[in-house]
Amino acid sequence: MLSYVIRRCLIMIPTLVVISMIAFGVIDLPPGDYLTSYIVQLESQGAQVTEEQVESLKRRYALDQPLPLRYVNWIWRIIRYQDFGQSWNWNRPVAGLLAERLPFTIAISLTTLIFTYAAAIPIGIYSAVKQYSWGDYLFTTIGFLGLAIPNFLLALVLMFIFYRYFGVSIGGLFSPEYRDAAWSFAKFWDMMSHLWVPIIVIGTAGTAGLIRTMRAVMLDELSKDYVQTARAKGLKEIRVILKHAARVAINPIISLVGWTLPQIISGEAIVAVVLNLPTTGPLLLQALLTQDMYLAGSFIFILSALTVIGTLLSDILLAWIDPRIRYDKEA
């Protein structure tokens, strides 16, 4: 198991290098350079840019060097100083913007991921075991609705219902009195009381899709010979379902973790705008609209890295759940 994990980590390194090259290509793609855009932005605001400031920025981002050296400088500054560059639109370091919003994004994403799998797996198993029952039809209908309704539309509907009939605003992660307050247990509890809204809104589509996948795989496993053999031996039905069929059927669900995590983080952009969430989603959207290249490129790099890390985690989970899955260097 340990050697399998080490080999998977070694494979991940060149993948991240290629991803970083693509992300830097996005940063370097627009005509001209970032410094020119930055100077134009400052001058449009009435600020004076001195020659010393220009030279300092040139040295910082190696703008007087060839493309390969600029890439090496960008990667080195990220590794050594955690410097992802300057956001021209916000006139702030990208690392500072990410540090403010990334913890909220991670909190929402992980809780949504837990909610998605905790709801989808048992419902998918129930729908397969009770095929064509009223419960199966009910969850199938809910699943299709979850796939069909856009997340942002569901957010708007929930906001209207709660404000219209209960007089409560469910937008944001904090109540007005805690929004700018220092962290305390009361502020944390207030955040937790608001967290269920984005979890349900963002996780609805993913949960519906996983329910359909789990149901289909579970139905296939229940019809196989090893399940019939386990029943013929007199094992209890709950043991046959959970220990034999479900243990194999869950493999495709676990393998989707690598794609689910970045989809949740990137897919919540419009929902975050609608619900006024202090996450990275609105930043990513604004960076793309305003061509804030360092901010957009950093997001591309982080989301792609999350895909690779999520794939690694899913492979490790699969190897732990199913000992038959191992890295075969002769394959």
Side-chain angles (χ1 to χ4, degrees), residues 184-203:
S184 61
F185 179 77
K187 181 173 181 177
F188 175 77
W189 183 253
D190 182 71
M191 183 186 73
M192 296 302 295
S193 66
H194 287 78
L195 198 60
W196 66 271
V197 179
I199 288 175
I200 292 177
V201 171
I202 299 172

Side-chain angles (χ1 to χ4, degrees), residues 8 26 50 125 194 258 273 308:
R8 291 293 292 114
V26 172
T50 64
I125 294 174
H194 287 78
V273 173
V308 176

Side-chain angles (χ1 to χ4, degrees), residues 143 147 204-214:
L147 290 172
T204 300
T207 303
L210 286 178
I211 288 173
R212 304 306 302 162
T213 302
M214 187 68 192

Side-chain angles (χ1 to χ4, degrees), residues 13 57 93 97 102 143 178 206-207 236 245 272 290-291 308 324:
I13 294 174
L57 289 171
L97 292 171
L102 202 56
Y178 290 107
T207 303
K236 292 183 179 180
T290 59
Q291 295 184 345
V308 176
R324 298 173 301 172

Side-chain angles (χ1 to χ4, degrees), residues 104 107-109 111-112 115-116 151 154-155 158 170-173 191-204 264 268 271-272 275 277-279:
F104 296 114
I108 292 176
S109 300
T111 50
T112 302
F115 164 76
T116 299
N151 289 343
L154 179 60
L158 287 178
I170 59 174
L173 280 182
M191 183 186 73
M192 296 302 295
S193 66
H194 287 78
L195 198 60
W196 66 271
V197 179
I199 288 175
I200 292 177
V201 171
I202 299 172
T204 300
I264 290 174
E268 55 87 40
V271 174
L275 291 176
L277 301 177
T279 60

